Amino acid sequence: MEEIEVRTQLRGDRVLHLQLLDGQARVLFLDTTEMAQRCADLHNASPVCTAALGRLMTGTAMLGAMLKGENESVSVTIRGGGPMGSLVAVANGTDVKACADDYSVQLPLQANGHLDVGGAIGHSGRMTVVKDLGLREPYIGQCELVSGELGIDFANYFTVSEQQPSLVALGTLVSGDAVLKAGGLLIQPLPGCAEETIDQLELRSPMFADISRELAAAPMDELVNGWFRGMKPELLEERSLRWHCDCSRERMERALISIGRKDLQEIIDDDRGAELQCHFCGAAYSFTTDELKALAASAEDR
Ligand code: ZN
């Protein structure tokens, strides 16, 4: 049987949404190199922190790619007890951003030559996924961290919290300050998936285990056609992704209002104004005492 090969159009950061064997499994394949570089540059991140944030953004972008509505978003918080502290990434269908408590962590390489992402994040703790689907209450899913390397943690999240068995590979290939490649692959068997298809995917999984090196070696469509030969890979959608922070003065105003009238009044009494900095992009927003007084008028008593 002659197979139609997958051909992609876009360049740069993007997510490919594919199906295998007429819908027996779905595949998300992401290149997140540019956003990982942008994040590293903004935060002046060390190589291992760059790798950790790159992997987290890629996994979060997978969740973002599965959102249906335009105004929906998802945030993933990792608290693993490691020297990076907490890590947070936020994504919608196209935009991704991330931050951490500490970007300066340096650790020896692991025995296999890989950066010690698990050491930087920590090996035990929690992964929290909050999906804002535009409803009154957000969806919140939580699970224990399995390793802190993140690929296996995202797989565990999908399997345990969303009851969706998943194969996840996440990778960021870093050299000094440069992100050579970052990306990830998600494979999910769908209802009606044959046992032999699952066996085939497991058999082939070593091929995409080191996903950033794979991405560095060949174009995405070539990789897909090779990995899934004989499994009828079909490209359903191709979408650009980007680093983007949606912080704004209005958001910062809301944050100030949310601390309550009493705390705001203390800042007003200090009469030095307030300067807020966005954790994700570093943008600074300053407020004068008069502006704070106006905000206090709309704040609630706590
Ligand atoms: Zn920002």
Side-chain angles (χ1 to χ4, degrees), residues 11-212:
R11 310 209 149 266
D13 284 3
R14 58 203 189 277
V15 53
L16 310 185
H17 184 180
L18 304 115
Q19 68 173 18
L20 305 176
L21 291 162
D22 300 312
Q24 287 195 36
R26 87 161 139 194
V27 176
L28 295 180
F29 184 22
L30 295 88
D31 184 331
T32 53
T33 307
E34 288 167 14
M35 68 173 77
Q37 183 72 66
R38 187 79 190 279
C39 184
D41 292 346
L42 266 173
H43 298 300
N44 199 16
S46 71
V48 71
C49 293
T50 299
L53 288 160
R55 288 188 200 177
L56 177 61
M57 283 195 289
T58 306
T60 307
M62 287 173 178
L63 284 160
M66 288 188 258
L67 297 172
K68 304 260 173 354
E70 220 163 75
N71 296 315
E72 298 179 0
S73 66
V74 57
S75 75
V76 178
T77 303
I78 305 285
R79 287 191 187 88
M84 280 187 82
S86 303
L87 290 82
V88 184
V90 183
N92 59 24
T94 54
D95 302 346
V96 188
K97 61 182 180 180
C99 65
D101 290 338
D102 192 327
Y103 302 97
S104 65
V105 178
Q106 311 255 12
L107 292 171
L109 293 179
Q110 299 185 90
N112 61 7
H114 285 186
L115 290 161
D116 190 4
V117 169
I121 288 177
H123 300 291
S124 65
R126 279 192 167 273
M127 169 171 176
T128 307
V129 175
V130 179
K131 290 185 192 176
D132 182 352
L133 306 176
L135 308 170
R136 193 133 36 121
E137 298 291 333
Y139 160 91
I140 301 176
Q142 271 202 337
C143 58
E144 299 287 321
L145 278 187
V146 183
S147 80
E149 294 283 335
L150 294 188
I152 193 165
D153 297 299
F154 271 90
N156 181 59
Y157 165 77
F158 283 118
T159 307
V160 172
S161 290
E162 302 202 356
Q163 283 88 47
Q164 172 64 68
S166 303
L167 201 156
V168 180
L170 301 173
T172 313
L173 190 58
V174 184
S175 171
D177 291 339
V179 176
L180 303 180
K181 270 294 171 191
L185 185 74
L186 168 77
I187 306 177
Q188 296 182 326
L190 296 177
C193 183
E195 209 51 52
E196 60 197 274
T197 304
I198 295 173
D199 291 346
Q200 262 302 318
L201 289 168
E202 274 172 7
L203 209 63
R204 295 179 190 205
S205 63
M207 292 199 285
F208 27 77
D210 201 343
I211 195 72
S212 49

Side-chain angles (χ1 to χ4, degrees), residues 97 245-248 252 278-283 285:
K97 61 182 180 180
C245 185
D246 57 351
C247 69
S248 65
M252 293 297 170
C278 173
H279 292 302
F280 292 99
C281 72
Y285 298 86

